[in-house]
Amino acid sequence: MITLPRPTGRKPDTAIYERRESAVRSYARVMPRQFNRAENVWMHDNQGGRYLDFLSGCSTLNYGHNHPVLKQALLDYIAADGIAHGLDLHTDAKAEFLETLESLILKPRRLDYRAMFTGPTGTNAVEAAIKLARKVTGRELVIAFTNGFHGMTLGALACTGNAAKRGGAGVPLAHVAHEPYDGYHGPEVDTAELLERRLSDPSSGLDAPAAILVETVQGEGGLNAASPEWLRRINAIAKRHGALMIVDDIQAGCGRTGSFFSFEGMGFTPDIVTMAKSLSGMGLPFALTLFRPELDQWAPGEHNGTFRGNNHAFVTASAALRHFWSDRRFEQDIARRGALVARRLEAMAAQHGLSTRGRGMMRGIDVGSGDIAAAVTTACFERGLIIETSGAHDEIVKILAPLVIDDAQLSAGIDILETCIAEALGAPYGVAAE
Ligand SMILES: *Cc1c(COP(=O)(O)O)cnc(C)c1O
């Protein structure tokens, strides 16, 4: 018997939030419960409700909520009065993280990267990456892509496509060109070729770029997955034109697409990689910018931040690397679960004439409109499934289940989604093609 979601349906008093919390809150509006506890794939509300989490903090909780191994490592560290905050001072926790990163992640993949601890959010890792690229190349322009999402601070926001997010800037967002992502003009148009043409043509109006910034799967922009071939060519274009290739692996990394880095096995090595979200493994704020050693041209303190290198996150991140990435078993589990998600989504798509997106355990289904997607996610939540949307019109319902979810729970959650999609589309109930 598997544990099933158990939503209460009772809405708690939200007066304090309406009275005191900024109107900027968003997820809380579509999931109006008060959560107080979480473990593994479950979130609990304070009225006894139990929800299956298919959002995982937007891929921040790839190893589930409060994983016992990570939690114990943190409890032990705090109990021993381990350093909580140390600016960028050397600490045991930092040394252990760097050594674990080197031995379990970088060396086995033959990657030689320096690690820069930025401020603790993803956007900070992106800021550091594009700043470094501009500094090293002496150029201003960054090429980003349609539907890309890179964060909310001005430099990263300039690289983000979404108009509503950009509108919040209040100042011009300059020095970035948004070129069409793989498949943007449909399967017939080769957008890598378009980019090459524009960069090779002295009259195209496109300046020589400092960097090309890309997500291998666009997490917020609709789960569009670029082909390995396209990414290899974009990397070659960057090389040819003296630009640095930056892969923003903040959402797609840490196993979400199947391997630790989302670009593994694709036949190219990015110059710079940004990581955050699931890096700490426990939802603690922690971001990292990795780059080739020759690019490490920073002056001491040139980019800094009070919370660079969160020591508690060093501890949980090291524990996560040791627990999940010491051998290939976790990757095999992700591959199997990803295939299950793909098979189920494709069956729904075939039944309703829809299409699917994504790769690994980062997949979604295009239900045709933001309104339908909102109806689906609302209905899912009422049945105890936490699930969100992605895409230019929020039209993609995305499954970002914890990577540790067992196959039965995964199937149970997808069953709820299948029912809600059928209902929202007005199709007969339960005619599942499986
Ligand atoms: C979430 C995300 C960011 C921004 O990270 P924050 O921690 O929200 O600042 C940047 N890039 C990608 C691809 C993301 O998914």
Side-chain angles (χ1 to χ4, degrees):
M1 247 300 278
I2 61 160
T3 317
L4 289 171
R6 185 185 61 217
T8 57
R10 288 194 297 271
K11 296 195 182 179
D13 182 5
T14 52
I16 183 64
Y17 306 106
E18 275 138 37
R19 195 162 70 241
R20 284 295 157 205
E21 191 181 0
S22 164
V24 79
R25 65 195 189 281
S26 61
Y27 291 109
R29 296 173 191 274
V30 290
M31 293 177 246
R33 297 293 181 278
Q34 189 157 308
F35 297 95
N36 61 359
R37 209 160 51 77
E39 88 287 334
N40 194 15
V41 299
W42 299 104
M43 291 188 74
H44 302 266
D45 72 21
N46 67 354
Q47 297 184 320
R50 179 172 62 217
Y51 301 81
L52 185 55
D53 188 358
F54 268 24
L55 179 56
S56 307
C58 297
S59 201
T60 300
L61 296 159
N62 283 1
Y63 314 119
H65 294 264
N66 290 313
H67 190 282
V69 172
L70 313 194
K71 183 170 73 175
Q72 195 57 51
L74 182 58
L75 287 170
D76 292 347
Y77 184 81
I78 293 174
D81 284 334
I83 299 286
H85 177 263
L87 298 169
D88 68 359
L89 293 174
H90 297 164
T91 64
D92 287 359
K94 187 198 277 191
E96 195 191 335
F97 172 74
L98 286 169
E99 277 160 12
T100 313
L101 180 77
E102 182 178 75
S103 64
L104 293 184
I105 302 298
L106 299 180
K107 284 207 167 142
R109 292 165 181 76
R110 295 200 183 78
L111 293 169
D112 184 14
Y113 286 136
R114 288 268 167 91
M116 173 182 180
F117 302 112
T118 65
T121 59
T123 197
N124 213 300
V126 173
E127 294 289 345
I130 60 181
K131 235 192 214 184
L132 183 63
R134 285 170 171 147
K135 180 181 165 72
V136 167
T137 62
R139 298 175 178 178
E140 286 179 353
L141 184 76
V142 171
I143 290 180
F145 291 93
T146 50
N147 291 306
F149 180 86
H150 301 286
M152 288 292 108
T153 52
L154 289 182
L157 186 55
C159 301
T160 293
N162 185 293
K165 305 279 187 242
R166 294 172 65 84
V171 292
L173 294 171
H175 313 303
V176 177
H178 292 268
E179 296 296 311
Y181 192 72
D182 192 15
Y184 185 75
H185 291 297
E188 305 305 315
V189 180
D190 179 350
T191 59
E193 180 57 29
L194 285 183
L195 180 60
E196 174 58 35
R197 281 276 295 278
R198 290 199 69 198
L199 285 173
S200 306
D201 177 354
S203 287
S204 71
L206 195 60
D207 293 331
I212 302 183
L213 170 64
V214 67
E215 295 163 90
T216 64
V217 182
Q218 298 186 310
E220 301 302 305
L223 302 182
N224 308 303
S227 71
E229 154 80 6
W230 186 84
L231 288 163
R232 260 194 311 279
R233 286 172 61 211
I234 295 295
N235 181 63
I237 291 167
K239 293 277 153 320
R240 200 171 312 129
H241 295 277
L244 299 176
M245 175 78 166
I246 308 175
V247 168
D248 181 349
D249 233 5
I250 290 171
Q251 188 160 159
C254 295
R256 180 52 63 184
T257 60
S259 47
F260 186 81
F261 295 110
S262 70
F263 53 83
E264 283 176 39
M266 291 191 172
F268 74 98
T269 303
D271 298 297
I272 306 180
V273 183
T274 57
M275 311 278 310
K277 290 205 164 86
S278 273
L279 185 61
S280 78
M282 247 187 88
L284 298 175
F286 184 32
L288 184 60
T289 305
L290 299 167
F291 37 77
R292 288 194 286 113
E294 316 84 84
L295 302 177
D296 194 9
Q297 295 173 24
W298 292 112
E302 191 176 358
H303 183 87
N304 69 14
T306 307
F307 291 105
R308 258 169 307 166
N310 173 343
N311 277 268
H312 289 167
F314 285 143
V315 171
T316 57
S318 302
L321 296 183
R322 280 194 306 268
H323 188 76
F324 290 102
W325 299 99
S326 291
D327 57 37
R328 309 301 295 262
R329 264 177 302 182
F330 189 49
E331 282 167 279
Q332 289 157 5
D333 287 342
I334 302 169
R336 190 186 65 251
R337 290 166 189 149
L340 190 158
V341 175
R343 184 161 39 78
R344 294 288 307 270
L345 285 179
E346 275 152 25
M348 286 179 229
Q351 195 193 346
H352 300 292
L354 306 173
S355 60
T356 65
R357 304 272 188 283
R359 188 153 73 79
M361 281 286 278
M362 188 172 188
R363 292 183 192 267
I365 182 163
D366 182 344
V367 295
S369 79
D371 287 342
I372 297 173
V376 169
T377 55
T378 302
C380 285
F381 188 69
E382 280 162 8
R383 286 176 163 85
L385 180 70
I386 294 174
I387 189 164
E388 260 293 342
T389 60
S390 172
H393 310 283
D394 297 319
E395 74 283 24
I396 315 283
V397 179
K398 68 178 174 187
I399 298 182
L400 292 179
L403 304 181
V404 295
I405 192 167
D406 70 41
D407 298 7
Q409 306 290 14
L410 188 55
S411 297
I414 298 174
D415 288 345
I416 296 175
L417 175 64
E418 186 171 51
T419 302
C420 294
I421 286 180
E423 279 182 359
L425 294 172
Y429 204 87
V431 201
E434 241 270 279

